Amino acid sequence: MAPNAIDQTRRMLSLVTYLRERPGAHVGDVARAFGITEAELIADLDVLPMCGTSFRGGDLLDIDTDGEQIWWHNPDDVAAPLRIAADEATALLVAARAVATLPGLRESDREALLRATAKLEAAAGEAAGASSRLSVTFESEGGVFAEVDRAISERRRLWLRYYSPARDELTEREVDPIRLFAVGHTYMEAWCRLSEARRTFRLDRVAEIRILDEPSSPPEVELRDLSAGLVQPSADDPEVVVEVGPGGRWVAEYYPHDSAEELPDGGLRITLRTPDPTSLRRLALRLGSDGRIVTPTALADSARRAAQEALAAYDGQDA
């Protein structure tokens, strides 16, 4: 099973405190204390020297091991009180003020955020002045986020009008929201009453949303580990190469892919993997003149025949 990034981060934070209090700790003892293998511990120790108090060349954790004991050479240096830089303070203040304006934010959360913002302003001093001249406005996605968050909190069902780029259509559906998460974009995982299955919806593709009076009652589902990404194709899946023109660049945004190379005409050469390459024939039909499947050849030929059959059927109806 792939390691959970959140669990690993929590473990590494605890590991820093543990090692600070135990100079020269033995690898086997530390691994047993954290309930992990020695190999997992060594992997954590390989990451820790890249962590520190600043990405601007500040003190990094000088931790190493000879395979038997673990040594931390600069614990006192990194224990000094942190100082926030002017640009960091500005970014935090602008973001905090923007989030505080979100519709649907629970009042207790808003008050806590405003209190934290006031403390940050006092600590930032003159740096806070620059942030007051900047602002961020959330458009439709912010409103959708607030409605989904409220529906989850109140355990209520949602009605959506949702845009699917692959089919180029809007659909209406009722969903029972399960959770919000971000992997590049912000998504809602929900139980879709239209398909009677778990589905994932990207918030910026929600054209309209409404909280319903019906209670939300999604079935018990095991939450997926998203630490490796939203969609995780296997390295053993067949490789497919698709070339798209400027009007088909959305494919690279919608489909997880290994690479996307720029073409001279403004299009892309996209390499992706899928356990079922035949499922991409619909994509080829959807693209029309904006794209084509290059390899595998059998799939390209199949998509071409499907397009010809569709045209023949259309011509027959027109006659």
Side-chain angles (χ1 to χ4, degrees):
M1 181 178 177
N4 184 291
I6 295 177
D7 290 342
Q8 184 182 20
T9 301
R10 289 171 178 161
R11 182 175 69 239
M12 291 173 65
L13 289 171
S14 300
L15 186 59
V16 169
T17 302
Y18 186 93
L19 293 177
R20 177 178 173 80
E21 297 173 354
R22 296 168 177 82
H26 287 272
V27 170
D29 294 339
V30 177
R32 281 191 295 274
F34 281 82
I36 58 177
T37 66
E38 292 187 13
E40 289 174 318
L41 174 60
I42 296 300
D44 287 350
L45 295 176
D46 288 340
V47 175
L48 283 176
M50 294 183 282
C51 304
T53 58
S54 175
F55 290 109
R56 296 181 175 80
D59 294 316
L60 299 179
L61 304 181
D62 186 4
I63 296 176
D64 63 34
T65 177
D66 58 7
E68 295 185 3
Q69 289 181 276
I70 305 169
W71 304 100
W72 186 356
H73 303 290
N74 65 339
D76 294 332
D77 294 339
V78 298
L82 298 180
R83 295 290 183 267
I84 190 168
D87 59 340
E88 293 170 331
T90 298
L92 282 172
L93 286 168
V94 171
R97 293 187 186 118
V99 172
T101 66
L102 276 175
L105 187 66
R106 286 185 286 270
E107 198 57 35
S108 59
D109 293 339
R110 193 188 312 276
E111 291 173 359
L113 181 58
L114 291 175
R115 288 195 298 271
T117 303
K119 292 179 181 178
L120 181 57
E121 287 174 338
E126 294 181 2
S131 69
S132 65
R133 297 189 292 273
L134 302 171
S135 65
V136 173
T137 302
F138 289 100
E139 299 297 339
S140 59
E141 185 175 333
V144 172
F145 183 99
E147 292 292 87
V148 175
D149 183 58
R150 179 184 165 198
I152 293 174
S153 175
E154 298 179 1
R155 299 182 182 276
R156 291 166 64 183
R157 186 168 297 175
L158 287 165
W159 172 87
L160 306 175
R161 289 183 69 236
Y162 187 75
Y163 174 67
S164 172
R167 296 191 298 271
D168 191 27
E169 64 182 18
L170 283 167
T171 60
E172 295 184 12
R173 59 188 78 202
E174 293 184 6
V175 303
D176 292 339
I178 297 172
R179 62 170 169 169
L180 284 160
F181 63 90
V183 181
H185 297 277
T186 307
Y187 296 86
M188 168 182 62
E189 190 168 18
W191 185 262
C192 177
R193 294 292 168 179
L194 178 65
S195 57
E196 286 299 321
R198 177 166 55 179
R199 292 289 184 265
T200 301
F201 302 93
R202 219 173 89 175
L203 296 198
D204 61 350
R205 292 180 179 146
V206 176
E208 191 175 351
I209 187 169
R210 186 166 66 246
I211 298 179
L212 303 177
D213 291 332
E214 287 88 347
S216 172
S217 55
E220 291 291 333
V221 294
E222 182 178 354
L223 296 180
R224 294 180 296 156
D225 177 11
L226 300 170
S227 59
L230 181 60
V231 180
Q232 302 162 23
S234 168
D236 297 329
D237 290 341
E239 183 179 272
V240 179
V241 177
V242 181
E243 288 188 353
V244 301
R249 293 178 67 94
W250 60 267
V251 175
E253 182 181 4
Y254 190 76
Y255 288 88
H257 54 277
D258 295 335
S259 64
E261 303 172 15
E262 293 284 346
L263 295 176
D265 65 351
L268 295 172
R269 182 183 177 90
I270 303 167
T271 302
L272 54 86
R273 296 182 182 276
T274 173
D276 180 20
T278 58
S279 65
L280 295 179
R281 281 186 301 186
R282 185 184 182 94
L283 170 64
L285 293 173
R286 165 79 177 88
L287 286 168
S289 60
D290 278 329
R292 66 187 183 94
I293 295 173
V294 179
T295 61
T297 305
L299 178 59
D301 293 341
S302 175
R304 193 177 301 109
R305 286 195 300 272
Q308 291 169 346
E309 290 169 2
L311 285 173
Y314 179 81
D315 291 341
Q317 289 180 353
D318 191 46

